[in-house]
Amino acid sequence: MSITGFEDMLERHDLKKTRPRLSVLNILSKRQAATSQPDLEEVLGNEVDRVTLYRVLKTFEEKGIIHKILDVNGTANYAMCGPACSEHSHYDEHVHFNCTVCFRVYCLDHLAIPKLSMPHGFEAGTVNLIVYGICGDCSKKAAAYKAAEDKVSS
Ligand SMILES: [Zn+2]
Ligand SMILES: [Zn+2]
């Protein structure tokens, strides 16, 4: 998406077009995997201070622009929401995948969370489903490593 696209997006959500907001959108929309707050801090450098970044992320989350996924270490990771999401209603609940080798968090957009029937008197709000395992990149690397090892030993 272009900068104009991001500006439109902020406008749609009644948000002022500030530099930190545009920078965060730009980074998150380019990533294939979700991005953690420390990662964002590193990419943004001195451009955006911690408190501002925290506020930007919180606002985006409330507006349904991004969603938060806690990884295996309890670190918050952020990813862009689907176009159907809006304030306080996320329509893109999907399965997340946390790789235990590279620790990246992926949105598996095409995998919907199965409907869960709650016990009597319980009302489900947000449902999180995280699959822990080895991602495509890491399993490819492991296979290549194994192939190289087999060559040496044969
Ligand atoms: Zn991985
Ligand atoms: Zn996601």
Short mmCIF file of all heavy atoms in Angstrom, two decimals, residues 7-50:
data_model
loop_
_atom_site.label_atom_id
_atom_site.label_comp_id
_atom_site.label_asym_id
_atom_site.label_seq_id
_atom_site.Cartn_x
_atom_site.Cartn_y
_atom_site.Cartn_z
N GLU A 7 -2.83 7.08 4.41
CA GLU A 7 -3.51 8.31 4.83
C GLU A 7 -5.02 8.12 4.77
O GLU A 7 -5.75 8.53 5.67
CB GLU A 7 -3.07 9.49 3.95
CG GLU A 7 -1.67 9.95 4.30
CD GLU A 7 -1.19 11.13 3.48
OE1 GLU A 7 -1.80 11.40 2.41
OE2 GLU A 7 -0.21 11.77 3.88
N ASP A 8 -5.49 7.47 3.71
CA ASP A 8 -6.92 7.18 3.57
C ASP A 8 -7.40 6.32 4.73
O ASP A 8 -8.48 6.52 5.28
CB ASP A 8 -7.20 6.43 2.26
CG ASP A 8 -7.08 7.34 1.05
OD1 ASP A 8 -6.99 8.57 1.26
OD2 ASP A 8 -7.07 6.81 -0.07
N MET A 9 -6.56 5.33 5.07
CA MET A 9 -6.92 4.40 6.13
C MET A 9 -7.08 5.16 7.45
O MET A 9 -8.04 4.94 8.18
CB MET A 9 -5.81 3.36 6.24
CG MET A 9 -6.15 2.22 7.16
SD MET A 9 -4.72 1.15 7.36
CE MET A 9 -4.99 -0.01 6.07
N LEU A 10 -6.16 6.07 7.75
CA LEU A 10 -6.24 6.85 8.99
C LEU A 10 -7.48 7.73 8.97
O LEU A 10 -8.19 7.86 9.97
CB LEU A 10 -4.98 7.70 9.17
CG LEU A 10 -3.69 6.94 9.47
CD1 LEU A 10 -2.50 7.88 9.52
CD2 LEU A 10 -3.79 6.18 10.79
N GLU A 11 -7.76 8.30 7.81
CA GLU A 11 -8.92 9.18 7.67
C GLU A 11 -10.21 8.40 7.93
O GLU A 11 -11.10 8.87 8.63
CB GLU A 11 -8.94 9.76 6.26
CG GLU A 11 -9.58 11.13 6.19
CD GLU A 11 -9.20 11.84 4.90
OE1 GLU A 11 -8.11 12.45 4.85
OE2 GLU A 11 -9.97 11.73 3.94
N ARG A 12 -10.27 7.21 7.37
CA ARG A 12 -11.46 6.36 7.56
C ARG A 12 -11.72 6.08 9.03
O ARG A 12 -12.85 5.86 9.44
CB ARG A 12 -11.26 5.01 6.84
CG ARG A 12 -11.81 4.97 5.45
CD ARG A 12 -12.16 3.55 5.01
NE ARG A 12 -11.11 2.58 5.24
CZ ARG A 12 -10.06 2.40 4.44
NH1 ARG A 12 -9.93 3.13 3.36
NH2 ARG A 12 -9.15 1.50 4.71
N HIS A 13 -10.64 6.01 9.82
CA HIS A 13 -10.78 5.71 11.24
C HIS A 13 -10.76 6.98 12.10
O HIS A 13 -10.57 6.89 13.32
CB HIS A 13 -9.68 4.76 11.70
CG HIS A 13 -9.84 3.38 11.16
ND1 HIS A 13 -9.23 2.96 10.00
CD2 HIS A 13 -10.57 2.32 11.60
CE1 HIS A 13 -9.56 1.71 9.77
NE2 HIS A 13 -10.37 1.30 10.71
N ASP A 14 -10.94 8.14 11.47
CA ASP A 14 -10.95 9.41 12.20
C ASP A 14 -9.66 9.66 12.97
O ASP A 14 -9.69 10.14 14.10
CB ASP A 14 -12.12 9.45 13.21
CG ASP A 14 -13.43 9.73 12.50
OD1 ASP A 14 -13.40 10.49 11.52
OD2 ASP A 14 -14.44 9.16 12.94
N LEU A 15 -8.56 9.30 12.38
CA LEU A 15 -7.28 9.53 13.04
C LEU A 15 -6.48 10.56 12.28
O LEU A 15 -6.49 10.58 11.04
CB LEU A 15 -6.48 8.21 13.11
CG LEU A 15 -7.06 7.11 13.99
CD1 LEU A 15 -6.28 5.81 13.79
CD2 LEU A 15 -7.03 7.50 15.46
N LYS A 16 -5.79 11.42 13.02
CA LYS A 16 -4.92 12.42 12.39
C LYS A 16 -3.77 11.71 11.70
O LYS A 16 -3.27 10.70 12.17
CB LYS A 16 -4.36 13.36 13.46
CG LYS A 16 -5.30 14.47 13.85
CD LYS A 16 -4.47 15.70 14.26
CE LYS A 16 -5.37 16.74 14.90
NZ LYS A 16 -5.72 16.38 16.30
N LYS A 17 -3.36 12.30 10.57
CA LYS A 17 -2.26 11.68 9.81
C LYS A 17 -0.92 12.13 10.37
O LYS A 17 -0.34 13.09 9.89
CB LYS A 17 -2.36 12.06 8.34
CG LYS A 17 -3.62 11.50 7.68
CD LYS A 17 -3.90 12.21 6.37
CE LYS A 17 -5.38 12.43 6.20
NZ LYS A 17 -5.70 13.42 5.19
N THR A 18 -0.47 11.44 11.39
CA THR A 18 0.82 11.82 11.98
C THR A 18 1.92 10.93 11.42
O THR A 18 1.66 9.83 10.95
CB THR A 18 0.81 11.69 13.52
OG1 THR A 18 0.64 10.31 13.86
CG2 THR A 18 -0.31 12.50 14.14
N ARG A 19 3.13 11.43 11.47
CA ARG A 19 4.29 10.70 10.95
C ARG A 19 4.48 9.35 11.62
O ARG A 19 4.65 8.35 10.92
CB ARG A 19 5.54 11.56 11.14
CG ARG A 19 6.26 11.85 9.87
CD ARG A 19 7.63 12.42 10.18
NE ARG A 19 8.65 11.47 9.73
CZ ARG A 19 9.00 11.34 8.46
NH1 ARG A 19 8.43 12.08 7.55
NH2 ARG A 19 9.91 10.47 8.11
N PRO A 20 4.46 9.30 12.99
CA PRO A 20 4.65 8.00 13.63
C PRO A 20 3.60 6.97 13.19
O PRO A 20 3.93 5.81 12.93
CB PRO A 20 4.48 8.31 15.12
CG PRO A 20 4.79 9.75 15.25
CD PRO A 20 4.38 10.39 13.96
N ARG A 21 2.35 7.40 13.05
CA ARG A 21 1.29 6.48 12.63
C ARG A 21 1.56 5.94 11.23
O ARG A 21 1.43 4.75 10.97
CB ARG A 21 -0.07 7.20 12.65
CG ARG A 21 -0.62 7.33 14.06
CD ARG A 21 -1.88 8.14 14.09
NE ARG A 21 -2.37 8.25 15.46
CZ ARG A 21 -3.23 9.17 15.85
NH1 ARG A 21 -3.71 10.05 15.00
NH2 ARG A 21 -3.64 9.21 17.09
N LEU A 22 1.94 6.85 10.33
CA LEU A 22 2.22 6.44 8.95
C LEU A 22 3.42 5.49 8.90
O LEU A 22 3.40 4.50 8.17
CB LEU A 22 2.44 7.67 8.06
CG LEU A 22 1.19 8.50 7.79
CD1 LEU A 22 1.55 9.83 7.16
CD2 LEU A 22 0.20 7.75 6.91
N SER A 23 4.44 5.78 9.71
CA SER A 23 5.63 4.93 9.72
C SER A 23 5.29 3.52 10.20
O SER A 23 5.74 2.53 9.63
CB SER A 23 6.71 5.51 10.63
OG SER A 23 7.09 6.78 10.20
N VAL A 24 4.49 3.44 11.27
CA VAL A 24 4.14 2.13 11.82
C VAL A 24 3.33 1.33 10.79
O VAL A 24 3.58 0.14 10.56
CB VAL A 24 3.37 2.28 13.16
CG1 VAL A 24 2.78 0.95 13.60
CG2 VAL A 24 4.28 2.83 14.25
N LEU A 25 2.37 1.98 10.13
CA LEU A 25 1.57 1.30 9.11
C LEU A 25 2.45 0.79 7.98
O LEU A 25 2.30 -0.33 7.49
CB LEU A 25 0.52 2.25 8.52
CG LEU A 25 -0.72 2.53 9.36
CD1 LEU A 25 -1.62 3.51 8.63
CD2 LEU A 25 -1.47 1.26 9.69
N ASN A 26 3.38 1.62 7.59
CA ASN A 26 4.28 1.28 6.51
C ASN A 26 5.09 0.02 6.84
O ASN A 26 5.21 -0.89 6.02
CB ASN A 26 5.21 2.48 6.24
CG ASN A 26 6.00 2.30 4.98
OD1 ASN A 26 5.56 1.66 4.03
ND2 ASN A 26 7.20 2.84 4.97
N ILE A 27 5.61 -0.04 8.06
CA ILE A 27 6.41 -1.20 8.47
C ILE A 27 5.55 -2.46 8.56
O ILE A 27 5.86 -3.49 7.97
CB ILE A 27 7.10 -0.95 9.83
CG1 ILE A 27 8.09 0.21 9.71
CG2 ILE A 27 7.82 -2.22 10.31
CD1 ILE A 27 8.61 0.70 11.05
N LEU A 28 4.43 -2.34 9.29
CA LEU A 28 3.60 -3.53 9.53
C LEU A 28 3.03 -4.11 8.24
O LEU A 28 2.93 -5.33 8.09
CB LEU A 28 2.46 -3.21 10.50
CG LEU A 28 2.87 -2.96 11.95
CD1 LEU A 28 1.63 -2.70 12.80
CD2 LEU A 28 3.66 -4.13 12.52
N SER A 29 2.67 -3.26 7.30
CA SER A 29 2.03 -3.77 6.09
C SER A 29 3.05 -4.44 5.16
O SER A 29 2.68 -5.21 4.29
CB SER A 29 1.31 -2.65 5.36
OG SER A 29 2.25 -1.72 4.91
N LYS A 30 4.33 -4.17 5.35
CA LYS A 30 5.35 -4.79 4.50
C LYS A 30 5.80 -6.15 5.01
O LYS A 30 6.42 -6.91 4.30
CB LYS A 30 6.57 -3.87 4.43
CG LYS A 30 6.40 -2.76 3.42
CD LYS A 30 7.73 -2.07 3.19
CE LYS A 30 7.55 -0.82 2.35
NZ LYS A 30 8.29 0.31 2.93
N ARG A 31 5.49 -6.42 6.28
CA ARG A 31 5.99 -7.65 6.89
C ARG A 31 5.11 -8.84 6.58
O ARG A 31 3.89 -8.73 6.61
CB ARG A 31 6.04 -7.48 8.42
CG ARG A 31 7.00 -6.42 8.87
CD ARG A 31 8.41 -6.90 8.69
NE ARG A 31 9.38 -5.92 9.09
CZ ARG A 31 10.06 -5.96 10.24
NH1 ARG A 31 9.84 -6.90 11.10
NH2 ARG A 31 10.95 -5.04 10.51
N GLN A 32 5.78 -9.96 6.37
CA GLN A 32 5.05 -11.20 6.14
C GLN A 32 4.61 -11.80 7.47
O GLN A 32 3.56 -12.39 7.59
CB GLN A 32 6.00 -12.16 5.42
CG GLN A 32 5.31 -13.08 4.48
CD GLN A 32 6.25 -14.19 4.06
OE1 GLN A 32 7.21 -14.53 4.76
NE2 GLN A 32 5.97 -14.74 2.91
N ALA A 33 5.47 -11.61 8.48
CA ALA A 33 5.16 -12.11 9.81
C ALA A 33 4.78 -10.93 10.70
O ALA A 33 5.02 -9.78 10.35
CB ALA A 33 6.37 -12.83 10.39
N ALA A 34 4.17 -11.22 11.84
CA ALA A 34 3.83 -10.16 12.78
C ALA A 34 5.11 -9.58 13.36
O ALA A 34 6.15 -10.22 13.38
CB ALA A 34 2.95 -10.73 13.89
N THR A 35 5.04 -8.33 13.80
CA THR A 35 6.23 -7.63 14.27
C THR A 35 6.09 -7.29 15.74
O THR A 35 5.06 -6.78 16.17
CB THR A 35 6.41 -6.33 13.45
OG1 THR A 35 6.29 -6.65 12.07
CG2 THR A 35 7.77 -5.71 13.69
N SER A 36 7.12 -7.56 16.52
CA SER A 36 7.06 -7.29 17.95
C SER A 36 7.37 -5.81 18.21
O SER A 36 7.96 -5.14 17.37
CB SER A 36 8.06 -8.16 18.70
OG SER A 36 9.37 -7.74 18.40
N GLN A 37 6.98 -5.35 19.40
CA GLN A 37 7.25 -3.94 19.72
C GLN A 37 8.75 -3.64 19.75
O GLN A 37 9.17 -2.64 19.17
CB GLN A 37 6.57 -3.57 21.05
CG GLN A 37 6.69 -2.08 21.29
CD GLN A 37 5.83 -1.59 22.43
OE1 GLN A 37 4.88 -2.25 22.84
NE2 GLN A 37 6.14 -0.42 22.94
N PRO A 38 9.59 -4.52 20.37
CA PRO A 38 11.04 -4.25 20.30
C PRO A 38 11.57 -4.17 18.87
O PRO A 38 12.42 -3.34 18.56
CB PRO A 38 11.65 -5.45 21.04
CG PRO A 38 10.58 -5.98 21.91
CD PRO A 38 9.28 -5.66 21.23
N ASP A 39 11.03 -5.02 18.00
CA ASP A 39 11.41 -5.00 16.58
C ASP A 39 11.05 -3.66 15.93
O ASP A 39 11.82 -3.08 15.19
CB ASP A 39 10.64 -6.09 15.82
CG ASP A 39 11.55 -7.24 15.45
OD1 ASP A 39 12.72 -7.23 15.88
OD2 ASP A 39 11.07 -8.14 14.74
N LEU A 40 9.84 -3.20 16.23
CA LEU A 40 9.38 -1.93 15.69
C LEU A 40 10.27 -0.79 16.18
O LEU A 40 10.66 0.08 15.42
CB LEU A 40 7.94 -1.65 16.13
CG LEU A 40 6.84 -2.31 15.31
CD1 LEU A 40 5.51 -2.19 16.03
CD2 LEU A 40 6.75 -1.68 13.93
N GLU A 41 10.62 -0.85 17.48
CA GLU A 41 11.49 0.18 18.05
C GLU A 41 12.81 0.23 17.31
O GLU A 41 13.34 1.30 17.02
CB GLU A 41 11.76 -0.12 19.54
CG GLU A 41 10.66 0.37 20.45
CD GLU A 41 10.84 -0.13 21.88
OE1 GLU A 41 11.97 -0.40 22.30
OE2 GLU A 41 9.81 -0.26 22.57
N GLU A 42 13.32 -0.96 16.99
CA GLU A 42 14.61 -1.04 16.32
C GLU A 42 14.53 -0.44 14.92
O GLU A 42 15.41 0.32 14.50
CB GLU A 42 15.04 -2.49 16.25
CG GLU A 42 16.54 -2.65 16.24
CD GLU A 42 16.92 -4.12 16.19
OE1 GLU A 42 16.67 -4.81 17.19
OE2 GLU A 42 17.45 -4.55 15.15
N VAL A 43 13.47 -0.79 14.19
CA VAL A 43 13.33 -0.28 12.82
C VAL A 43 13.10 1.23 12.80
O VAL A 43 13.66 1.95 11.98
CB VAL A 43 12.18 -1.00 12.08
CG1 VAL A 43 12.04 -0.48 10.66
CG2 VAL A 43 12.39 -2.51 12.07
N LEU A 44 12.29 1.70 13.74
CA LEU A 44 11.97 3.13 13.78
C LEU A 44 13.13 3.97 14.29
O LEU A 44 13.24 5.15 13.96
CB LEU A 44 10.73 3.37 14.65
CG LEU A 44 9.41 2.85 14.08
CD1 LEU A 44 8.35 2.77 15.17
CD2 LEU A 44 8.91 3.73 12.95
N GLY A 45 14.00 3.38 15.10
CA GLY A 45 15.14 4.10 15.64
C GLY A 45 14.71 5.30 16.46
O GLY A 45 13.81 5.20 17.30
N ASN A 46 15.33 6.44 16.20
CA ASN A 46 15.03 7.64 16.97
C ASN A 46 13.78 8.37 16.46
O ASN A 46 13.35 9.35 17.04
CB ASN A 46 16.20 8.62 16.93
CG ASN A 46 17.41 8.04 17.64
OD1 ASN A 46 17.27 7.29 18.61
ND2 ASN A 46 18.60 8.37 17.16
N GLU A 47 13.24 7.86 15.35
CA GLU A 47 12.13 8.55 14.71
C GLU A 47 10.92 8.67 15.63
O GLU A 47 10.24 9.69 15.65
CB GLU A 47 11.75 7.78 13.43
CG GLU A 47 10.94 8.57 12.45
CD GLU A 47 10.41 7.68 11.34
OE1 GLU A 47 11.16 6.80 10.87
OE2 GLU A 47 9.26 7.86 10.96
N VAL A 48 10.64 7.59 16.38
CA VAL A 48 9.47 7.56 17.25
C VAL A 48 9.91 7.10 18.63
O VAL A 48 10.57 6.07 18.77
CB VAL A 48 8.41 6.58 16.69
CG1 VAL A 48 7.18 6.56 17.58
CG2 VAL A 48 8.02 6.95 15.26
N ASP A 49 9.55 7.85 19.67
CA ASP A 49 9.94 7.40 21.01
C ASP A 49 8.97 6.32 21.50
O ASP A 49 7.90 6.11 20.95
CB ASP A 49 10.03 8.58 21.99
CG ASP A 49 8.68 9.21 22.23
OD1 ASP A 49 7.95 8.71 23.11
OD2 ASP A 49 8.35 10.19 21.55
N ARG A 50 9.40 5.65 22.55
CA ARG A 50 8.69 4.50 23.10
C ARG A 50 7.23 4.76 23.44
O ARG A 50 6.35 3.98 23.11
CB ARG A 50 9.39 4.07 24.37
CG ARG A 50 10.19 2.84 24.20
CD ARG A 50 10.30 2.16 25.54
NE ARG A 50 10.82 0.85 25.31
CZ ARG A 50 11.85 0.34 25.96
NH1 ARG A 50 12.44 1.02 26.88
NH2 ARG A 50 12.25 -0.87 25.67
#
